[in-house]
Amino acid sequence: MKQDMIVILDLGSTENTTIARQIRDLGVYSEIHPHDITPKELNELQNVKGIILNGGENRVVDGAPVDVDPALYECGYPMLAVSHPTAKCEKILEALPDLAALKEFVFADCKAQANWNMKNFIADQVERIREQVGEKKVLLALSGGVDSSVVAAMLIKAIGQQLVCVHVNHGLMRKDESESVVQVFKNQLHANLIYVDAVERFLGKLEGVADPEQKRKIIGGEFIRVFEEEARKLEGIDFLGQGTIYPDIIESGTKTAKMVKSHHNVGGLPSDLKFELVEPLKQLFKDEVRACGIELGLPESMVYRQPFPGPGLGVRCLGAITRERLEAVRESDAILREEFEKAGLNKKVWQYFTVVPDFKSVGVKNNARSFDYMVIIRAINTIDAMSATIETIDWNVLQKITDRILAEVEHVNRVCYDMSPKPPATIEFE
């Protein structure tokens, strides 16, 4: 079933996503589009029932206030203007609409139906993917992260073996994650999956490199090279699948919003890219992506996977990476995740992980002097990742985690708990 849609036109408001989320919570699909959308582009969107002109503090660009194409007022759609005093429509509000006003506009004025749900969304996207791709092939870098996993599951549902997934194991994944990708996508979903074991290649390139930014550049650059090498071996690839989601687009900036940070899948692609992009999740928020993954049949452990930096454990094995400390990070992280799940903290705490610094301390193990590494535990809560608070963990849970790490992880004789909020600390150590 095609979902009815309310279009929000961005005229400089910082609250576009707030209104979009409220409308979706009412069961009606909404999308945010630039203020300069043309009547032709608007009419090409499917099942539009109404338009919200959302003005705000960023409405002035290059010294002049931005506005919509006057021809939009003649398109016949019900329109609501927020903080846009010069709008030529019947309903103009000075502030964000409350829920009652939003309901009245969406259901009474626009006659929209509450048919936005994940099942309908998936059916709609599957149809769009098939129309876009036809009989051709799509290439996807499948990291095992939430976004790439969900887009892979969506593409498999839509085009099956026409999707070619490439999973690169760079040796910096968490415990059993590469194995999990193979198990779910190759063995359960029967994906056309190419598995690349590049562990020695990556660790060799990283040997002796201590600077965090240099490590990131090496990992990112080498990943692109491995992916390109695999792509060159394939024939007939016309499309590139991307796990772009809506926050990626917002953070990368719009015509009336400043860039927070660039995302590789929004602004970092080469201008001479020979592939056409397939991005079925680009209008979804993170929680909606997770709901989509569950609806597509992915396991909860994959859908609710912890946020994970692009360089993986490479920036949690502090300083120059050694295999010894890398294994200590991997094993201690696995224990932490296992015990948090047992204690019911895995969905309560936003992010939790371990790091191993590149220095040793004196201790006692097996009744003898030891000179080994420490494991630092970090567990934080945040809404937007711009600031973060420390989770207060029950002492018995911390004690059990500590006992297990000291008993089960080699070359470790000390466990610490990081009590630093953001700011002044950052979420990751590197």
Side-chain angles (χ1 to χ4, degrees), residues 101-119:
L102 207 54
K103 277 184 176 179
E104 182 181 346
F105 176 70
V106 170
F107 295 115
D109 298 345
C110 299
K111 305 293 189 294
Q113 292 184 43
N115 55 13
W116 157 248
N117 58 56
M118 210 38 73
K119 191 171 184 178

Side-chain angles (χ1 to χ4, degrees), residues 189-204:
L189 298 179
H190 309 293
N192 186 358
L193 176 65
I194 297 170
Y195 173 82
V196 184
D197 184 347
V199 174
E200 296 303 321
R201 177 172 175 170
F202 275 83
L203 296 186

Side-chain angles (χ1 to χ4, degrees), residues 133-174:
V133 174
E135 300 297 318
K136 295 178 180 177
K137 291 182 180 178
V138 180
L139 183 64
L140 174 71
L142 177 57
S143 68
V146 179
D147 302 336
S148 73
S149 296
V150 174
V151 80
M154 178 86 80
L155 287 165
I156 290 168
K157 184 177 179 69
I159 57 173
Q161 294 296 299
Q162 292 168 244
L163 173 68
V164 181
C165 298
V166 177
H167 175 70
V168 179
N169 181 2
H170 51 22
L172 305 170
M173 304 285 283
R174 288 177 290 202

Side-chain angles (χ1 to χ4, degrees), residues 250-270:
I250 289 291
E251 286 194 337
S252 294
T254 64
K255 293 172 183 176
T256 54
K258 295 178 181 177
M259 183 180 76
V260 177
K261 59 181 178 180
S262 63
H263 285 258
H264 69 280
N265 49 3
V266 178
L269 293 169

Side-chain angles (χ1 to χ4, degrees), residues 8 17 34 48 68 70 90 101 121 126 135 148 213 218 262 265 293 313 337 374 381-382 387:
I8 299 166
T17 56
V48 175
V68 298
E90 292 182 8
F121 174 80
V126 164
E135 300 297 318
S148 73
E213 282 306 306
I218 290 171
S262 63
N265 49 3
L313 298 181
R337 287 188 288 133
M374 71 169 65
N381 284 312
T382 182
S387 62

